[in-house]
Every structure is written in structure tokens, then in C-alpha cells.
Amino acid sequence: MAASKKAVLGPLVGAVDQGTSSTRFLVFNSKTAELLSHHQVEIKQEFPREGWVEQDPKEILHSVYECIEKTCEKLGQLNIDISNIKAIGVSNQRETTVVWDKITGEPLYNAVAAPVSPGPSVPVAVVPSGSSVPAPGTSSVWLDLRTQSTVESLSKRIPGNNNFVKSKTGLPLSTYFSAVKLRWLLDNVRKVQKAVEEKRALFGTIDSWLIWSLTGGVNGGVHCTDVTNASRTMLFNIHSLEWDKQLCEFFGIPMEILPNVRSSSEIYGLMKAGALEGVPISGCLGDQSAALVGQMCFQIGQAKNTYGTGCFLLCNTGHKCVFSDHGLLTTVAYKLGRDKPVYYALEGSVAIAGAVIRWLRDNLGIIKTSEEIEKLAKEVGTSYGCYFVPAFSGLYAPYWEPSARGIICGLTQFTNKCHIAFAALEAVCFQTREILDAMNRDCGIPLSHLQVDGGMTSNKILMQLQADILYIPVVKPSMPETTALGAAMAAGAAEGVGVWSLEPEDLSAVTMERFEPQINAEESEIRYSTWKKAVMKSMGWVTTQSPESGDPSIFCSLPLGFFIVSSMVMLIGARYISGIP
């Protein structure tokens, strides 16, 4: 019996999309950007202590191999020849930190990470000191909080008039980024200390760990990262595009454990095992940069917003580093080739987006599934004057106000769960507008439209609300896998691969769903200004700070002695007037 004929589709490109909750491998047609097949594996998160979040680097690596094998099997069932896969790109959760032994290939440690949204004065929990270190062989993911005391200690060493950390990296000193996690490991994990002393240790974010392992590991694995991931470590000078000696000395990081920094699009090495052995790994981007590329935001002023647990907004600022006066981060967007120019971005984060929907489901119980929120909101089509500020652990960009707490205000007897559901969706949109307004002020380039991706974009009510509140069109690609697509584009475009052209005239036309504003500008501004009033009401709820932070109690506004004396005078006066002897 003749074998079935394999489909001929032209060059294909694979992409590893490694996130905090899952790993996926996706295969695209490089000529049409069509997604042909994919496979996903869930990843465990471990919580050995409150505020500590960890993942097993070996589990992550095994999940990548499993996803590649399963996807190749699915392609075979579709009669697609896997020999047409010409390159592989990697996209990854960015700040998660791994330290491993280059002799044995084994992870050494637990690492350290950050709160939901990075920035100055981030409200975070402080982990009590003196607890035992968790078992080795895990990596701390980006929302781990254990490094707060490390940050507080380091911040005292930065001159007030010379924040060289921010000027060199574009980042505030925060638990969010890799340098403080690595510092914590060096201070607390003996296995890491010993490996560094014996010149056996290698450090990297998840991309480095995967590329080193996939290209051979202990047998000649390539220890590298790309400029986008390096720019999130707080050790990388975003102007010179090199590891910075002063920063490494400040954090006490030995430079010999750092990976080589490469562009986001070049051949790093070849797969050394599995179904795709011999295929080059030639693209590498942090997840948010990958989404920016996948959305084809190659022009200055183009921006994308990814709607997930929180929101991540990136705006392409071109070859220029734009430093924010409004609490945004300056970061490397991409560098698509060794000899290609670097592009920068401003990044802003909304801490609570999809998380507010889960809160309504898990804490209030007004919905059974996250998808029900759209149905509830559609029933009323308005919040009826109800506003929801989900400042569960303070306000993030552009306010950076840790004393704020969540409020629902504007309630009447008429308000029901449908109005609260609508207000929750509006809250995501209002927070996005605040970030985009800050970007507009920093860049001086008003956005003509916003490109969107992420799980929440399937909610049509949310997308229409976003267009109304921004008063610009919101554009959603019909193919939602923009992060993986960005990694595949970088890999396919690499010199020596050359199967994916990034020239504007060659980029595949992507089908888009467009949401136009359906209210007038005046109504949009009224709703936004009312939201801002609600935000102000949310501030100052936590009043445990020192008197300098604005505690309104009388003991903070009057000297204690004066208060006691005046009270005694009033008491004596009262006794005299009442005639008590």
C-alpha cells in the first residue's frame, strides 16, 4: 500500500512559548503566518512559604521536549512533513531566575522574584527572615516576594541625586527583576555559593536555561540570552547593550556566571536531541517583546496591550530610550539581527485585570466561570454609576500609592451583580487608559489605535468598552497567538535561516477585528473623570505608616504634651462649671 503523500506547505517555523503556568510549542507557516498545530503542557507552581513562588527548571525543560514531540506527532497526523521546520524561536516569562551547575547540568537552587507589577514604591509583602531555604532544584518565578529586604538594603546605597541603576537599566530598584533574586541566592543558598566559588555556576533567565539545555547542555550547550531578556535583569546597560561592570559590582554579581548577550534574531545553536534534532534555535524574545513583534508594532508610537491576569502595555519608542516621568519602565523592545539596530519601548503594567474577574468568581461568587462576566455585563449594558477600583494591594502605575485599597462606590438600591460585573470590566479599561495617557505624555505621540491580545480579548463587551474609554479604535488579530508568532518571526528571519521576511511589503496581512468608539468624546471624558474621582477615594485606607506619611490622628497633628495638658484643662473646667467639688 502506498504511503500517504505529505502536504507541501513551504518552510515552517516552530516557537517555544514558556510561561508561568504552561509551556507550549506552536508551528507556523512562514509564508502565511498560519498556525498549523500546537501542544500545551501545564506547569506546576510550588509555594513553600507565603510570598515564595517556585518552579522546577527540569520540569520546564521536560515540558518543552514533550510539547515538541506531541506537536510533531500531530503534524504527522495532518500529513505535514516535520523536516520542513527550518527554525525554532523561544519566548519566555522574563524575570524568572535559574542558576545551574555547568558540570552536572543540574539546577542548584531556589530563586527570587517580584510582585505582580514592577515599579517604584511597589506595595509588597515583606517575607520574615530566619526561615529555612526551600529544597534546591527549583526556580523562582517572577511574582516571588522574598527579596524585599534585599531591595531595602540595596536602596540605601543609591545616592539620591544619582540613581545610576535606573539611568543605566531603565528600571527602578525592585524585587521584580533578576539581579536581586540572584543576590538573594548568593546570600542564602550554600550550593549556589559553592558552585560560584568553584567556577561551576551559570546564571540565566528561562530562555538561557532552555537554550543551553536544548543545544547540548553539559556537552557544549550555548550559554546565551537576548537583549530583551538581559534588559530585565538590572545588570544590563541598555545604552551600550552590555553587562555593566558597575551594576554587577553594586549587586555583587560575578560577571563570569552571566550568559553572552546576543540579538533577538540569529542562530544560537542547533537542537541536539528529539524529533527536531539539527534544527537551529534562532529567535529569542521575552514574552512581552515577542507579543510586540507578533503584533507587528515596528513603527514608532505603535503599542500593544496584552490582557491576562494583569495587563502589559508596550509602546515602541524607536532607537531612542524614553525615560518616564509617570512611573513607566524603559526597556529593550527587540534587536532583530546582529547588525540590525536596537529598538526600545516604554512599558506599563496594570496589576489587576483578569484577576478581578477571578475575584468576582472565587471571592464573591457572583459568577461560576470567568466567561459568565460578559453575559452579566451584556444584560445591563451599563454600570449605572457604579465604579470598581480593584486596588487590592495598592495602586500601581501611574500612582504608585501603597496605601490604597479596593473600593466599589456609587452604589444605589438599584445596583445589582450585573452592574458590578460591568464596572469590573470598565475598571480594566480605565486602568489601561491611565497607562496609555502616561505613555502619551512621556512620548509625545498620541496613539491612533491600540493593538490587543491575550485571553481576555475574547470578551467583546470588554473590547468595545476599551475603544469607548480610550476613544480610539481597538484592533484585535483573528489569530490570538501573537507571543509565539513573534518568536517564530524572529527565528525565521535570522541570518542563515531566511525563511521569514520582516520587510513591510512582505509581512502577511493579518485578519483583524476592529472595535470603533460608539460613544461621543464628551461622554467618554465624563466617565473617565468619574473613575479618577473613585481612584482618589481609594487612597489612604492603610494608615499604619509613620506620621510623615499622613496619618490623620490627633496624636500626629498635635504634640503629645500639649494634647495631655489641654485635656486636663478641659476636665478641670468642666468640673468647675458643673459645681463638682
Side-chain angles (χ1 to χ4, degrees):
M1 184 174 172
S4 58
K5 190 176 179 181
K6 295 285 186 181
V8 179
L9 295 171
L12 310 180
V13 180
V16 174
D17 183 5
Q18 207 299 300
T20 54
S21 59
S22 70
T23 298
R24 300 184 303 157
F25 185 70
L26 306 91
V27 175
F28 297 89
N29 184 324
S30 65
K31 300 305 178 189
T32 64
E34 177 190 1
L35 175 61
L36 300 177
S37 186
H38 76 282
H39 188 75
Q40 178 170 331
V41 172
E42 297 299 313
I43 298 293
K44 291 177 187 171
Q45 292 186 354
E46 299 174 21
F47 305 92
R49 287 192 53 201
E50 183 179 356
W52 290 26
V53 190
E54 299 168 2
Q55 290 177 315
D56 182 349
K58 293 179 75 173
E59 181 192 357
I60 290 173
L61 178 61
H62 293 154
S63 73
V64 170
Y65 278 120
E66 181 180 347
C67 286
I68 290 174
E69 298 299 316
K70 296 290 187 184
T71 302
C72 288
E73 287 176 16
K74 291 177 182 179
L75 290 171
Q77 292 164 9
L78 296 170
N79 283 332
I80 296 172
D81 191 345
I82 63 171
S83 68
N84 283 327
I85 298 176
K86 303 302 182 185
I88 296 170
V90 175
S91 168
N92 58 287
Q93 46 172 312
R94 293 177 294 181
E95 291 82 8
T96 300
T97 301
V98 187
V99 177
W100 66 96
D101 189 319
K102 66 182 177 182
I103 306 300
T104 66
E106 292 293 311
L108 290 165
Y109 62 97
N110 282 26
V112 189
V116 175
S117 180
S121 305
V122 175
V124 294
V126 178
V127 179
S129 60
S131 297
S132 60
V133 175
T138 54
S139 72
S140 62
V141 300
W142 60 278
L143 44 74
D144 187 287
L145 298 172
R146 77 190 73 183
T147 52
Q148 182 62 17
S149 60
T150 306
V151 169
E152 290 167 358
S153 173
L154 288 167
S155 65
K156 294 172 184 174
R157 294 168 45 203
I158 298 177
N161 60 349
N162 179 24
N163 189 342
F164 63 91
V165 174
K166 185 172 184 182
S167 64
K168 289 187 175 203
T169 67
L171 309 173
L173 184 61
S174 165
T175 58
Y176 194 79
F177 306 106
S178 307
V180 291
K181 307 172 194 178
L182 183 51
R183 182 66 258 159
W184 187 92
L185 287 170
L186 291 166
D187 289 339
N188 293 278
V189 182
R190 180 56 192 152
K191 275 194 172 184
V192 172
Q193 296 165 355
K194 194 167 187 291
V196 169
E197 291 164 5
E198 297 174 1
K199 310 294 184 187
R200 292 183 287 109
L202 295 178
F203 153 79
T205 43
I206 290 295
D207 57 303
S208 297
W209 163 245
L210 291 179
I211 292 172
W212 183 83
S213 300
L214 296 172
T215 58
V218 296
N219 298 310
V222 178
H223 186 215
C224 69
T225 188
D226 90 300
V227 290
T228 68
N229 282 294
S231 75
R232 309 296 291 192
T233 62
M234 262 192 326
L235 300 170
F236 185 70
N237 189 313
I238 61 174
H239 309 285
S240 66
L241 303 183
E242 295 174 329
W243 299 120
D244 189 280
K245 186 178 179 184
Q246 183 187 14
L247 291 171
C248 289
E249 288 175 351
F250 174 73
F251 288 103
I253 306 300
M255 296 184 76
E256 62 268 19
I257 73 172
L258 304 179
N260 293 319
V261 181
R262 312 276 285 271
S263 77
S264 309
S265 178
E266 60 179 277
I267 295 175
Y268 312 115
L270 306 181
M271 288 283 293
K272 289 296 171 65
L276 298 181
E277 183 177 352
V279 176
I281 299 174
S282 53
C284 180
L285 291 154
D287 53 8
Q288 300 308 319
S289 289
L292 194 73
V293 171
Q295 287 272 27
M296 302 178 198
C297 293
F298 295 129
Q299 304 300 315
I300 296 174
Q302 282 188 301
K304 71 88 195 170
N305 191 21
T306 299
Y307 295 77
T309 302
C311 289
F312 285 92
L313 296 91
L314 263 71
C315 179
N316 188 331
T317 62
H319 307 311
K320 179 184 177 186
C321 281
V322 175
F323 285 88
S324 175
D325 295 322
H326 304 94
L328 307 181
L329 308 181
T330 304
T331 195
V332 175
Y334 53 82
K335 186 179 188 292
L336 296 174
R338 252 182 298 208
D339 301 322
K340 296 293 176 68
V342 64
Y343 280 76
Y344 296 94
L346 274 177
E347 178 173 329
S349 307
V350 171
I352 305 294
V356 76
I357 312 304
R358 283 200 293 276
W359 185 82
L360 292 177
R361 181 193 67 193
D362 299 339
N363 292 45
L364 291 195
I366 68 172
I367 53 174
K368 289 190 173 68
T369 66
S370 297
E371 291 71 29
E372 283 180 40
I373 190 107
E374 184 173 9
K375 182 182 175 185
L376 285 183
K378 193 173 183 179
E379 282 183 30
V380 288
T382 175
S383 66
Y384 200 73
C386 171
Y387 286 80
F388 188 165
V389 182
F392 296 145
S393 57
L395 287 167
Y396 293 76
Y399 299 101
W400 304 114
E401 180 50 69
S403 73
R405 286 297 179 267
I407 63 167
I408 301 174
C409 57
L411 301 175
T412 70
Q413 287 179 308
F414 180 70
T415 306
N416 61 36
K417 66 180 182 180
C418 298
H419 300 114
I420 292 173
F422 195 95
L425 294 181
E426 277 191 318
V428 175
C429 301
F430 285 130
Q431 290 178 96
T432 297
R433 172 155 178 190
E434 289 183 319
I435 299 292
L436 286 179
D437 281 358
M439 283 184 172
N440 288 340
R441 290 194 294 272
D442 287 327
C443 294
I445 309 171
L447 288 178
S448 60
H449 66 278
L450 178 65
Q451 292 168 233
V452 300
D453 56 64
M456 291 186 76
T457 60
S458 61
N459 187 321
K460 292 184 183 296
I461 298 285
L462 176 70
M463 293 295 96
Q464 185 57 57
L465 277 172
Q466 190 68 86
D468 290 344
I469 288 165
L470 295 178
Y471 208 67
I472 57 174
V474 167
V475 180
K476 173 194 168 188
S478 57
M479 201 289 291
E481 305 294 350
T482 54
T483 301
L485 177 61
M489 290 167 65
E495 184 180 349
V497 178
V499 299
W500 205 312
S501 173
L502 298 184
E503 296 301 321
E505 62 272 16
D506 296 328
L507 289 173
S508 303
V510 178
T511 308
M512 299 281 191
E513 188 174 3
R514 192 176 177 93
F515 297 85
E516 299 281 350
Q518 292 184 354
I519 62 175
N520 61 48
E522 184 180 4
E523 183 183 346
S524 179
E525 289 303 318
I526 290 171
R527 283 162 68 174
Y528 185 46
S529 63
T530 309
W531 156 264
K532 283 187 161 297
K533 188 160 73 171
V535 169
M536 299 309 293
K537 299 287 185 187
S538 76
M539 296 183 187
W541 285 90
V542 178
T543 56
T544 56
Q545 292 93 342
S546 63
E548 289 78 15
S549 63
D551 188 331
S553 78
I554 191 166
F555 285 98
C556 294
S557 58
L558 293 173
L560 180 60
F562 177 74
F563 176 75
I564 294 172
V565 170
S566 60
S567 299
M568 291 177 64
V569 170
M570 290 172 66
L571 179 62
I572 293 167
R575 289 170 64 91
Y576 177 78
I577 292 168
S578 62
I580 298 173

